[in-house]
Amino acid sequence: MSDSAAHPREEGADADAATDTDGPDPTDGTDPSVEETPPTGDPIETVTTGAESVVAALEAAGAETAFGVQGGAIMPVYDALYNSSIRHVMMAHEQGAAHAADAYGVVAGEPGLCLATSGPGATNLVTGIADADMDSDAMLALTGQVPTDFVGNDAFQETDTVGVTRPVTKHNYFASDADSVGDVVGEAFALSSVGRPGPTLVDLPKDVTLDETDEEPGDAEAPAGTDPDPSARADAVEAAARAIESADKPVCLFGGGVIKGEASETAREFARTYEIPVVTTMPGIGSFPEDDELCLSWAGMHGTGYANMAITHTDCLVAVGTRFDDRLTGGIDTFAPEAEVVHIDIDPAEISKNVYADYPLVGDAATVLEQLDGAIDTTPAADDWREQCRAWKETYPMTYAAPDDEPLKPQFVVEAFDEATDDDTIVTTGVGQHQMWASQFWTYTEPRTWVSSHGLGTMGYGLPAAIGARMAADAMDEPDRDVICFDGDGSLLMTMQELSVAVRENLNITVAVLNNEYIGMVRQWQDAFFEGRHMASEYNWMPEFDKLAEAFGALGIRVDGYDEVAPAVEEALAYDGPAVVDFHVDPEENVLPMVPSGGANGRFALSEDQL
């Protein structure tokens, strides 16, 4: 890496800050216009660098943990981190750093922080930044950049990071000078969590971080006007309240915005007060306890049959903090076709973007639900509707067959871990069939315990996310919380190098590999829609993950049958450090129910032959 264009501090650069005591006394009356010189040893000004200002801004904003990979252009910032209170976790790959920071923020409820150098370091962050953007997760990325004079000249490890990341960030910045860089970083950190959360990025040219400055960063504040009004219009609230009161078949749909807006308790109280059945989105899992009789679990492509039936037949949908993505809605024209829609969201751009809102309520989830509570006079008369929802639960239960003469079922593994752990256990996943089974067969009762990649669907998310989740739990002084990563063989192979980080840091995480030697969801779609042609989906060349885990220094266990599951779960959870359990599961098992892409939620398939 070439540092030839950097601008290091020159020897004696701060010499003029010292007091010269050998010259004539300016206070002897000979020159009354000269102010008195401070005593020897008291500095006139504090000279720091742009990098030190960056770190000072992060500390002032409350950042406690950072994930990253060192490199040439970001090196001044890393040097400033050397004596910082911020704990830095060196990751094996920049994508892992972004996912770990993302998950840290999801669990801790504050912005995650990741760092990378210029060029490939920055572009390796992009997948993780895009993931956070799609899921509205607060995160700040700091990237090194070539010196300002070299920008645009195709210098070594130069990339237009601001241009590359503009479509996948809430906002990004190019730092222009050492005097203002601290304020820019503080602003970016604050902005990531204001209103609708999302990732922000600051690109840091190396000369800016090396240059001297005597400016201290101010408080971390988002730009004026970016903190939206938390309250919805009173007349809109009144109209929505009347619609809810008169509903015969009301449903609450709680999305990820309920959790991000710290509105879970308010949402639970609202649904219980008015006895309204609750459906969640996948990102909204945990916002409402799944063991509550009002809960119908989550809806969408692989949601429960009873959740999808409730969505299909409701006459009043109270949707909170959801963007109505296609995996939830299926075909828009068949989504909640009989319903008047009350849509609460902090972002006005989401209102009527996909699903038309009859009653648009723009504001903070908790605040608007409290407004609605104050405006509703009578509970909807919905006894028959609640009974119908209970009947759908009995008609379309979440079950699976587990014959003794067939391979181990992945659902059994998920249930075994659920039974062996506490309600506050954090579950992370990669993306694929294992993700669906982990969301279907685990009973979630608390927010911020389900950590996954939703909108972008990023394979490889699970393991680095488990590292970030573990670090967040430890930072919250909750070292006894279990962190379980359910991963697929194909998904784990994409980021398995991060296991070295878990071993180095001795992180207490358990990775349960649901190994079917396929990219399972692709194989399932190929069987259903491509006449069973398994092009590039067969992964029968997988390594032995238990032995790989041991090579990394983790506990490695292989499981092939039902009688081995309980002992393996117990051993992995009891192990002090990272454990990997390679569960060899039925390669032909499919995720059901399933709504074909673009189909009607109420016409879900319960078996392969219905697809």
Side-chain angles (χ1 to χ4, degrees), residues 26-27 31-38:
T27 63
D31 188 357
S33 66
V34 177
E35 296 180 1
E36 182 176 352
T37 302

Side-chain angles (χ1 to χ4, degrees), residues 211-573:
D211 280 351
E212 293 179 345
T213 178
D214 58 3
E215 296 292 329
E216 294 189 9
D219 295 335
E221 296 180 349
T226 56
D227 195 357
D229 187 343
S231 301
R233 291 192 350 258
D235 59 336
V237 171
E238 288 292 332
R242 304 290 83 78
I244 295 169
E245 288 174 348
S246 61
D248 296 319
K249 297 181 282 187
V251 165
C252 287
L253 175 64
F254 294 156
V258 173
I259 297 172
K260 297 177 196 309
E262 302 293 351
S264 295
E265 286 302 318
T266 305
R268 294 175 183 203
E269 184 177 352
F270 180 86
R272 289 166 175 161
T273 297
Y274 301 106
E275 299 180 86
I276 301 175
V278 175
V279 172
T280 73
T281 67
M282 271 193 73
I285 287 174
S287 59
F288 196 82
E290 293 185 330
D291 57 0
D292 190 295
E293 67 173 13
L294 285 173
C295 189
L296 301 175
S297 194
W298 58 277
M301 180 174 284
H302 292 293
T304 64
Y306 35 94
N308 282 325
M309 290 297 284
I311 289 286
T312 300
H313 294 283
T314 180
D315 64 356
C316 182
L317 185 66
V318 183
V320 188
T322 176
R323 60 187 179 85
F324 290 113
D325 76 291
D326 61 294
R327 284 300 194 261
L328 166 68
T329 64
I332 292 293
D333 57 336
T334 58
F335 180 78
E338 303 172 13
E340 288 190 297
V341 175
V342 178
H343 190 183
I344 301 171
D345 205 282
I346 194 68
D347 186 356
E350 292 299 334
I351 302 294
S352 296
K353 184 182 81 175
N354 292 328
V355 171
Y356 178 75
D358 300 281
Y359 302 95
L361 301 177
V362 178
D364 170 73
T367 302
V368 178
L369 283 171
E370 289 170 354
Q371 287 181 278
L372 272 177
D373 180 47
I376 295 174
D377 297 323
T378 59
T379 298
D383 289 345
D384 291 345
W385 172 243
R386 286 188 290 273
E387 183 57 40
Q388 175 63 77
C389 290
R390 283 191 287 268
W392 280 326
K393 277 190 174 184
E394 296 177 1
T395 303
Y396 307 111
M398 291 300 296
T399 59
Y400 59 95
D404 291 339
D405 59 348
E406 293 185 7
L408 175 64
K409 298 297 182 180
Q411 302 95 321
F412 184 88
V413 175
V414 174
E415 290 181 330
F417 273 102
D418 190 12
E419 291 171 4
T421 54
D422 296 332
D423 287 346
D424 66 352
T425 296
I426 301 167
V427 174
T428 75
T429 76
V431 168
Q433 286 181 314
H434 65 276
Q435 177 190 30
M436 298 300 115
W437 289 316
S439 57
Q440 290 176 331
F441 291 93
W442 188 287
T443 302
Y444 296 90
T445 61
E446 298 297 330
R448 303 190 185 278
T449 56
W450 164 251
V451 185
S452 193
S453 169
H454 300 106
L456 197 64
T458 307
M459 291 177 66
Y461 181 87
L463 177 54
I467 291 171
R470 174 78 273 157
M471 298 296 295
D474 291 349
M476 296 160 65
D477 198 23
E478 297 174 347
D480 294 332
R481 290 181 74 179
D482 287 314
V483 176
I484 312 296
C485 168
F486 288 104
D487 223 337
D489 45 309
S491 188
L492 179 59
L493 202 63
M494 292 192 171
T495 55
M496 191 174 184
Q497 67 269 20
E498 302 305 340
L499 188 59
S500 63
V501 178
V503 171
R504 185 193 72 224
E505 301 291 332
N506 194 35
L507 300 180
N508 190 17
I509 63 174
T510 299
V511 181
V513 188
L514 303 184
N515 186 349
N516 56 15
E517 296 190 348
Y518 278 104
I519 300 186
M521 193 62 79
V522 171
R523 192 273 305 157
Q524 179 171 334
W525 278 53
Q526 287 172 331
D527 286 346
F529 308 117
F530 292 88
E531 300 178 355
R533 293 184 293 273
H534 295 166
M535 176 61 190
S537 62
E538 296 179 344
Y539 271 39
N540 53 11
W541 42 269
M542 281 293 99
E544 297 181 59
F545 287 109
D546 56 321
K547 292 182 179 178
L548 265 181
E550 292 173 354
F552 275 106
L555 174 66
I557 306 172
R558 175 177 173 134
V559 171
D560 291 289
Y562 287 100
D563 59 342
E564 302 171 51
V565 172
V569 169
E570 182 180 1
E571 182 180 1
L573 292 175

Side-chain angles (χ1 to χ4, degrees), residues 185-198:
V185 167
E187 178 179 300
F189 190 92
L191 180 61
S192 68
S193 59
V194 165
R196 179 178 182 169

